[in-house]
PDB file of all heavy atoms in Angstrom:
ATOM      1  N   ASN A  52      66.791  74.335 157.871  1.00 97.00           N
ATOM      2  CA  ASN A  52      66.871  75.148 159.028  1.00 97.00           C
ATOM      3  C   ASN A  52      68.072  76.128 158.926  1.00 97.00           C
ATOM      4  O   ASN A  52      68.541  76.660 159.956  1.00 97.00           O
ATOM      5  CB  ASN A  52      66.882  74.439 160.313  1.00 97.00           C
ATOM      6  CG  ASN A  52      65.532  73.779 160.594  1.00 97.00           C
ATOM      7  OD1 ASN A  52      64.638  74.499 161.101  1.00 97.00           O
ATOM      8  ND2 ASN A  52      65.391  72.521 160.327  1.00 97.00           N
ATOM      9  N   LEU A 104      75.378  68.578 168.034  1.00 98.00           N
ATOM     10  CA  LEU A 104      74.167  67.842 168.372  1.00 98.00           C
ATOM     11  C   LEU A 104      74.373  66.361 168.089  1.00 98.00           C
ATOM     12  O   LEU A 104      74.851  65.956 166.948  1.00 98.00           O
ATOM     13  CB  LEU A 104      73.018  68.332 167.455  1.00 98.00           C
ATOM     14  CG  LEU A 104      71.695  67.595 167.540  1.00 98.00           C
ATOM     15  CD1 LEU A 104      71.097  67.622 168.980  1.00 98.00           C
ATOM     16  CD2 LEU A 104      70.704  68.058 166.519  1.00 98.00           C
ATOM     17  N   ILE A 106      72.696  62.643 168.051  1.00 98.00           N
ATOM     18  CA  ILE A 106      71.369  61.958 167.902  1.00 98.00           C
ATOM     19  C   ILE A 106      71.547  60.443 168.088  1.00 98.00           C
ATOM     20  O   ILE A 106      72.349  59.807 167.379  1.00 98.00           O
ATOM     21  CB  ILE A 106      70.675  62.286 166.565  1.00 98.00           C
ATOM     22  CG1 ILE A 106      70.351  63.759 166.546  1.00 98.00           C
ATOM     23  CG2 ILE A 106      69.429  61.467 166.372  1.00 98.00           C
ATOM     24  CD1 ILE A 106      69.782  64.221 165.145  1.00 98.00           C
ATOM     25  N   LEU A 178      68.380  72.713 176.743  1.00 98.00           N
ATOM     26  CA  LEU A 178      67.414  72.025 175.845  1.00 98.00           C
ATOM     27  C   LEU A 178      66.004  72.600 175.883  1.00 98.00           C
ATOM     28  O   LEU A 178      65.253  72.804 174.951  1.00 98.00           O
ATOM     29  CB  LEU A 178      67.371  70.531 176.126  1.00 98.00           C
ATOM     30  CG  LEU A 178      66.420  69.703 175.325  1.00 98.00           C
ATOM     31  CD1 LEU A 178      66.790  69.678 173.840  1.00 98.00           C
ATOM     32  CD2 LEU A 178      66.448  68.215 175.801  1.00 98.00           C
ATOM     33  N   ILE A 181      65.721  75.739 174.065  1.00 98.00           N
ATOM     34  CA  ILE A 181      65.639  75.519 172.576  1.00 98.00           C
ATOM     35  C   ILE A 181      64.243  75.046 172.169  1.00 98.00           C
ATOM     36  O   ILE A 181      63.697  75.631 171.232  1.00 98.00           O
ATOM     37  CB  ILE A 181      66.682  74.431 172.171  1.00 98.00           C
ATOM     38  CG1 ILE A 181      68.147  75.035 172.286  1.00 98.00           C
ATOM     39  CG2 ILE A 181      66.526  73.983 170.804  1.00 98.00           C
ATOM     40  CD1 ILE A 181      69.209  73.971 172.208  1.00 98.00           C
ATOM     41  N   VAL A 182      63.719  74.067 172.852  1.00 98.00           N
ATOM     42  CA  VAL A 182      62.408  73.501 172.382  1.00 98.00           C
ATOM     43  C   VAL A 182      61.234  74.192 172.985  1.00 98.00           C
ATOM     44  O   VAL A 182      60.058  74.076 172.441  1.00 98.00           O
ATOM     45  CB  VAL A 182      62.339  71.985 172.648  1.00 98.00           C
ATOM     46  CG1 VAL A 182      63.470  71.239 171.954  1.00 98.00           C
ATOM     47  CG2 VAL A 182      62.353  71.702 174.189  1.00 98.00           C
ATOM     48  N   LEU A 187      57.777  66.386 175.528  1.00 97.00           N
ATOM     49  CA  LEU A 187      57.758  66.174 174.077  1.00 97.00           C
ATOM     50  C   LEU A 187      57.325  64.701 173.802  1.00 97.00           C
ATOM     51  O   LEU A 187      57.556  63.828 174.591  1.00 97.00           O
ATOM     52  CB  LEU A 187      59.130  66.360 173.467  1.00 97.00           C
ATOM     53  CG  LEU A 187      59.823  67.757 173.539  1.00 97.00           C
ATOM     54  CD1 LEU A 187      61.231  67.588 173.104  1.00 97.00           C
ATOM     55  CD2 LEU A 187      59.095  68.715 172.679  1.00 97.00           C
ATOM     56  N   ILE A 225      74.766  69.157 172.979  1.00 98.00           N
ATOM     57  CA  ILE A 225      73.502  68.523 173.329  1.00 98.00           C
ATOM     58  C   ILE A 225      73.439  67.156 172.726  1.00 98.00           C
ATOM     59  O   ILE A 225      73.758  66.950 171.515  1.00 98.00           O
ATOM     60  CB  ILE A 225      72.313  69.364 172.888  1.00 98.00           C
ATOM     61  CG1 ILE A 225      72.233  70.692 173.699  1.00 98.00           C
ATOM     62  CG2 ILE A 225      70.997  68.614 173.072  1.00 98.00           C
ATOM     63  CD1 ILE A 225      71.130  71.604 173.267  1.00 98.00           C
ATOM     64  N   GLY A 226      73.008  66.156 173.476  1.00 98.00           N
ATOM     65  CA  GLY A 226      72.743  64.845 172.985  1.00 98.00           C
ATOM     66  C   GLY A 226      71.325  64.418 173.287  1.00 98.00           C
ATOM     67  O   GLY A 226      70.786  64.630 174.367  1.00 98.00           O
ATOM     68  N   VAL A 227      70.624  63.894 172.283  1.00 98.00           N
ATOM     69  CA  VAL A 227      69.276  63.319 172.490  1.00 98.00           C
ATOM     70  C   VAL A 227      69.236  61.905 172.033  1.00 98.00           C
ATOM     71  O   VAL A 227      69.791  61.579 171.015  1.00 98.00           O
ATOM     72  CB  VAL A 227      68.214  64.198 171.773  1.00 98.00           C
ATOM     73  CG1 VAL A 227      68.115  65.606 172.409  1.00 98.00           C
ATOM     74  CG2 VAL A 227      68.462  64.279 170.296  1.00 98.00           C
ATOM     75  N   PHE A 229      66.465  60.386 171.172  1.00 98.00           N
ATOM     76  CA  PHE A 229      65.404  60.165 170.229  1.00 98.00           C
ATOM     77  C   PHE A 229      65.841  60.769 168.808  1.00 98.00           C
ATOM     78  O   PHE A 229      66.944  61.187 168.650  1.00 98.00           O
ATOM     79  CB  PHE A 229      64.123  60.910 170.680  1.00 98.00           C
ATOM     80  CG  PHE A 229      64.302  62.269 171.177  1.00 98.00           C
ATOM     81  CD1 PHE A 229      64.293  63.351 170.320  1.00 98.00           C
ATOM     82  CD2 PHE A 229      64.542  62.492 172.544  1.00 98.00           C
ATOM     83  CE1 PHE A 229      64.388  64.670 170.778  1.00 98.00           C
ATOM     84  CE2 PHE A 229      64.676  63.771 173.022  1.00 98.00           C
ATOM     85  CZ  PHE A 229      64.599  64.873 172.142  1.00 98.00           C
ATOM     86  N   HIS A 230      64.928  60.724 167.893  1.00 98.00           N
ATOM     87  CA  HIS A 230      65.204  61.037 166.463  1.00 98.00           C
ATOM     88  C   HIS A 230      64.452  62.211 165.982  1.00 98.00           C
ATOM     89  O   HIS A 230      63.371  62.080 165.350  1.00 98.00           O
ATOM     90  CB  HIS A 230      64.911  59.844 165.555  1.00 98.00           C
ATOM     91  CG  HIS A 230      65.915  58.729 165.687  1.00 98.00           C
ATOM     92  ND1 HIS A 230      67.031  58.635 164.880  1.00 98.00           N
ATOM     93  CD2 HIS A 230      66.043  57.704 166.559  1.00 98.00           C
ATOM     94  CE1 HIS A 230      67.749  57.561 165.238  1.00 98.00           C
ATOM     95  NE2 HIS A 230      67.113  56.945 166.230  1.00 98.00           N
ATOM     96  N   PRO A 231      64.970  63.435 166.200  1.00 98.00           N
ATOM     97  CA  PRO A 231      64.265  64.647 165.789  1.00 98.00           C
ATOM     98  C   PRO A 231      64.199  64.854 164.291  1.00 98.00           C
ATOM     99  O   PRO A 231      63.456  65.639 163.747  1.00 98.00           O
ATOM    100  CB  PRO A 231      65.060  65.768 166.442  1.00 98.00           C
ATOM    101  CG  PRO A 231      66.396  65.239 166.596  1.00 98.00           C
ATOM    102  CD  PRO A 231      66.249  63.767 166.875  1.00 98.00           C
ATOM    103  N   GLU A 232      65.104  64.132 163.556  1.00 97.00           N
ATOM    104  CA  GLU A 232      65.138  64.308 162.033  1.00 97.00           C
ATOM    105  C   GLU A 232      63.874  63.831 161.386  1.00 97.00           C
ATOM    106  O   GLU A 232      63.592  64.167 160.213  1.00 97.00           O
ATOM    107  CB  GLU A 232      66.364  63.681 161.495  1.00 97.00           C
ATOM    108  CG  GLU A 232      66.294  62.096 161.425  1.00 97.00           C
ATOM    109  CD  GLU A 232      66.667  61.419 162.713  1.00 97.00           C
ATOM    110  OE1 GLU A 232      66.885  62.159 163.770  1.00 97.00           O
ATOM    111  OE2 GLU A 232      66.910  60.219 162.719  1.00 97.00           O
ATOM    112  N   GLU A 236      58.316  69.140 164.135  1.00 94.00           N
ATOM    113  CA  GLU A 236      58.102  69.915 165.360  1.00 94.00           C
ATOM    114  C   GLU A 236      59.366  70.078 166.204  1.00 94.00           C
ATOM    115  O   GLU A 236      59.381  70.865 167.137  1.00 94.00           O
ATOM    116  CB  GLU A 236      56.981  69.248 166.170  1.00 94.00           C
ATOM    117  CG  GLU A 236      55.618  69.326 165.553  1.00 94.00           C
ATOM    118  CD  GLU A 236      54.515  68.742 166.433  1.00 94.00           C
ATOM    119  OE1 GLU A 236      54.805  68.499 167.638  1.00 94.00           O
ATOM    120  OE2 GLU A 236      53.404  68.592 165.986  1.00 94.00           O
ATOM    121  N   LEU A 237      60.429  69.305 165.829  1.00 97.00           N
ATOM    122  CA  LEU A 237      61.699  69.427 166.562  1.00 97.00           C
ATOM    123  C   LEU A 237      62.714  70.085 165.767  1.00 97.00           C
ATOM    124  O   LEU A 237      63.915  69.938 166.068  1.00 97.00           O
ATOM    125  CB  LEU A 237      62.129  68.029 166.947  1.00 97.00           C
ATOM    126  CG  LEU A 237      61.179  67.308 167.984  1.00 97.00           C
ATOM    127  CD1 LEU A 237      61.573  65.833 168.227  1.00 97.00           C
ATOM    128  CD2 LEU A 237      61.086  68.076 169.267  1.00 97.00           C
ATOM    129  N   ASP A 238      62.365  70.898 164.815  1.00 97.00           N
ATOM    130  CA  ASP A 238      63.330  71.634 163.940  1.00 97.00           C
ATOM    131  C   ASP A 238      64.191  72.611 164.755  1.00 97.00           C
ATOM    132  O   ASP A 238      65.232  72.965 164.320  1.00 97.00           O
ATOM    133  CB  ASP A 238      62.600  72.401 162.889  1.00 97.00           C
ATOM    134  CG  ASP A 238      62.351  71.558 161.586  1.00 97.00           C
ATOM    135  OD1 ASP A 238      62.768  70.390 161.587  1.00 97.00           O
ATOM    136  OD2 ASP A 238      61.729  72.106 160.650  1.00 97.00           O
ATOM    137  N   SER A 239      63.715  72.987 165.940  1.00 98.00           N
ATOM    138  CA  SER A 239      64.486  73.910 166.764  1.00 98.00           C
ATOM    139  C   SER A 239      65.852  73.302 167.167  1.00 98.00           C
ATOM    140  O   SER A 239      66.787  74.053 167.333  1.00 98.00           O
ATOM    141  CB  SER A 239      63.665  74.303 168.054  1.00 98.00           C
ATOM    142  OG  SER A 239      63.351  73.129 168.793  1.00 98.00           O
ATOM    143  N   LEU A 240      65.894  71.983 167.260  1.00 98.00           N
ATOM    144  CA  LEU A 240      67.207  71.355 167.564  1.00 98.00           C
ATOM    145  C   LEU A 240      68.184  71.563 166.399  1.00 98.00           C
ATOM    146  O   LEU A 240      69.418  71.718 166.614  1.00 98.00           O
ATOM    147  CB  LEU A 240      67.024  69.878 167.865  1.00 98.00           C
ATOM    148  CG  LEU A 240      66.555  69.607 169.231  1.00 98.00           C
ATOM    149  CD1 LEU A 240      66.080  68.108 169.363  1.00 98.00           C
ATOM    150  CD2 LEU A 240      67.650  69.819 170.247  1.00 98.00           C
ATOM    151  N   PHE A 241      67.707  71.553 165.183  1.00 98.00           N
ATOM    152  CA  PHE A 241      68.566  71.816 164.047  1.00 98.00           C
ATOM    153  C   PHE A 241      68.907  73.315 163.865  1.00 98.00           C
ATOM    154  O   PHE A 241      69.991  73.660 163.464  1.00 98.00           O
ATOM    155  CB  PHE A 241      67.975  71.246 162.769  1.00 98.00           C
ATOM    156  CG  PHE A 241      67.833  69.721 162.862  1.00 98.00           C
ATOM    157  CD1 PHE A 241      66.573  69.164 163.196  1.00 98.00           C
ATOM    158  CD2 PHE A 241      68.963  68.900 162.621  1.00 98.00           C
ATOM    159  CE1 PHE A 241      66.537  67.744 163.324  1.00 98.00           C
ATOM    160  CE2 PHE A 241      68.834  67.513 162.766  1.00 98.00           C
ATOM    161  CZ  PHE A 241      67.584  66.962 163.061  1.00 98.00           C
ATOM    162  N   ARG A 242      67.905  74.148 164.251  1.00 98.00           N
ATOM    163  CA  ARG A 242      68.251  75.641 164.197  1.00 98.00           C
ATOM    164  C   ARG A 242      69.327  75.949 165.290  1.00 98.00           C
ATOM    165  O   ARG A 242      70.066  76.872 165.083  1.00 98.00           O
ATOM    166  CB  ARG A 242      66.986  76.406 164.518  1.00 98.00           C
ATOM    167  CG  ARG A 242      65.952  76.288 163.326  1.00 98.00           C
ATOM    168  CD  ARG A 242      64.916  77.371 163.459  1.00 98.00           C
ATOM    169  NE  ARG A 242      63.957  77.136 164.540  1.00 98.00           N
ATOM    170  CZ  ARG A 242      62.883  76.384 164.494  1.00 98.00           C
ATOM    171  NH1 ARG A 242      62.541  75.722 163.380  1.00 98.00           N
ATOM    172  NH2 ARG A 242      62.111  76.220 165.571  1.00 98.00           N
ATOM    173  N   PHE A 243      69.311  75.151 166.369  1.00 98.00           N
ATOM    174  CA  PHE A 243      70.337  75.362 167.391  1.00 98.00           C
ATOM    175  C   PHE A 243      71.773  75.235 166.801  1.00 98.00           C
ATOM    176  O   PHE A 243      72.597  76.122 167.072  1.00 98.00           O
ATOM    177  CB  PHE A 243      70.167  74.326 168.534  1.00 98.00           C
ATOM    178  CG  PHE A 243      71.435  74.002 169.279  1.00 98.00           C
ATOM    179  CD1 PHE A 243      72.053  74.864 170.096  1.00 98.00           C
ATOM    180  CD2 PHE A 243      71.995  72.765 169.143  1.00 98.00           C
ATOM    181  CE1 PHE A 243      73.231  74.580 170.789  1.00 98.00           C
ATOM    182  CE2 PHE A 243      73.189  72.369 169.852  1.00 98.00           C
ATOM    183  CZ  PHE A 243      73.774  73.314 170.684  1.00 98.00           C
ATOM    184  N   ILE A 244      72.064  74.225 166.019  1.00 97.00           N
ATOM    185  CA  ILE A 244      73.360  74.065 165.514  1.00 97.00           C
ATOM    186  C   ILE A 244      73.618  74.952 164.243  1.00 97.00           C
ATOM    187  O   ILE A 244      74.746  75.226 163.830  1.00 97.00           O
ATOM    188  CB  ILE A 244      73.807  72.631 165.194  1.00 97.00           C
ATOM    189  CG1 ILE A 244      72.788  71.936 164.278  1.00 97.00           C
ATOM    190  CG2 ILE A 244      74.046  71.862 166.463  1.00 97.00           C
ATOM    191  CD1 ILE A 244      73.215  70.563 163.820  1.00 97.00           C
ATOM    192  N   CYS A 245      72.586  75.458 163.643  1.00 97.00           N
ATOM    193  CA  CYS A 245      72.686  76.198 162.412  1.00 97.00           C
ATOM    194  C   CYS A 245      72.712  77.719 162.702  1.00 97.00           C
ATOM    195  O   CYS A 245      73.003  78.515 161.787  1.00 97.00           O
ATOM    196  CB  CYS A 245      71.570  75.889 161.457  1.00 97.00           C
ATOM    197  SG  CYS A 245      71.547  74.224 160.817  1.00 97.00           S
TER     198      CYS A 245
END
Side-chain angles (χ1 to χ4, degrees):
N52 287 282
L104 174 62
I106 293 175
L178 179 61
I181 290 170
V182 301
L187 298 169
I225 292 178
V227 293
F229 49 88
H230 286 268
E232 72 276 10
E236 291 188 11
L237 297 174
D238 273 358
S239 56
L240 280 167
F241 297 98
R242 291 195 292 272
F243 153 69
I244 53 172
C245 295

